[in-house]
Amino acid sequence: MEVHRLSLHKVCVQSLCFSPTEAYLATLGGQDDDNSLVIWDVAKGNAVCGTPAASDTAQCVKFCGGSDFQLVSGGNYHVTRWEFDLENKKLRPTQANLGQLKRMVSNLVVDPEDKFVYCGTSSGDVLQIDLTTMLFKQLAPKKCFPRGVTCSAMLPDGDILLGTGGGCLGRLAAGSLKMKVQAQVLGEVTSITLTESTSSAARSSPTFTGWTPTR
């Protein structure tokens, strides 16, 4: 049974994410939709507010874990923190300062304390950005993955799992972002989902792989 149809985007939905309480849904349109970032009221099925996420292509959006009113978007040469002002129905942006770095961000992971966002890029590395100051912290690994970082997830201990376009699964250490372990699968890794045992299930094309990331 259809509950609501959210039809504001005209061409495509590039990315979506529910808020921590699932009261709101953020959707991100593609470049042909003017990179529109829209916040929806899930219960009512209505758009609360929206704005272009960037002048260049926006690719991903992620709510912070501790608030329904803070989220992050990323894309070509930009990472932006957004404050969702429900009372005034506005999204207020703060752009990350990446210095001389030029990266196309394709996926985002926010740590449980909402201190940092980790941005997987098409260059095959991960950016760490401080969510308070929106300043670039570090870049890892030293040797970029071929065909980019296509998906990511965070383990309960803070380590980050990465999937790449070259079929590699890797585990980066919390804090240092040093590579702890990696494995090769058949085809591009398109998604990572954590199971209840904190093992990961990685979707690769054309296979499905279950993987336990040892320390």
Side-chain angles (χ1 to χ4, degrees):
M1 181 181 68
E2 182 177 300
V3 179
H4 299 298
R5 180 170 295 195
L6 313 180
S7 56
L8 190 60
H9 299 291
K10 303 303 181 183
V11 180
C12 75
V13 176
Q14 190 76 20
S15 178
L16 56 83
C17 184
F18 284 96
S19 69
T21 66
E22 299 185 355
Y24 303 101
L25 173 69
T27 59
L28 186 62
Q31 191 168 23
D32 292 334
D33 270 319
D34 296 325
N35 297 309
S36 296
L37 174 61
V38 181
I39 306 296
W40 304 84
D41 184 309
V42 172
K44 298 177 181 178
N46 295 331
V48 179
C49 59
T51 186
S55 57
D56 210 324
T57 303
Q59 299 195 42
C60 47
V61 63
K62 189 80 171 179
F63 269 98
C64 294
S67 172
D68 279 0
F69 305 105
Q70 188 174 85
L71 58 158
V72 185
S73 66
N76 293 6
Y77 318 117
H78 69 272
V79 178
T80 305
R81 185 191 70 212
W82 299 89
E83 305 297 332
F84 171 30
D85 182 348
L86 177 61
E87 182 178 355
N88 295 300
K89 297 184 178 181
K90 289 185 178 295
L91 285 164
R92 307 185 188 280
T94 303
Q95 193 86 5
N97 184 352
L98 302 181
Q100 298 300 312
L101 284 174
K102 303 293 183 182
R103 292 293 189 276
M104 298 182 183
V105 174
S106 59
N107 53 94
L108 301 165
V109 171
V110 178
D111 76 347
E113 296 179 346
D114 294 339
K115 289 184 176 180
F116 302 105
V117 60
Y118 299 89
C119 312
T121 76
S122 61
S123 301
D125 49 18
V126 175
L127 307 178
Q128 182 187 25
I129 296 171
D130 188 309
L131 276 173
T132 301
T133 62
M134 291 305 288
L135 296 177
F136 165 74
K137 291 282 291 183
Q138 62 176 319
L139 185 68
K142 291 183 178 180
K143 183 179 180 180
C144 292
F145 291 104
R147 299 182 60 190
V149 175
T150 51
C151 54
S152 54
M154 182 168 284
L155 291 168
D157 64 1
D159 285 0
I160 299 171
L161 297 181
L162 304 176
T164 76
C168 181
L169 283 166
R171 178 172 180 168
L172 299 181
S176 68
L177 298 186
K178 291 182 178 179
M179 182 63 66
K180 296 176 73 171
V181 64
Q182 57 183 307
Q184 193 69 31
V185 298
L186 179 62
E188 176 183 2
V189 183
T190 56
S191 62
I192 298 173
T193 302
L194 300 182
T195 64
E196 291 184 2
S197 65
T198 72
S199 299
S200 67
R203 174 74 66 177
S204 61
S205 178
T207 64
F208 180 83
T209 303
W211 183 55
T212 301
T214 55
R215 295 182 181 276

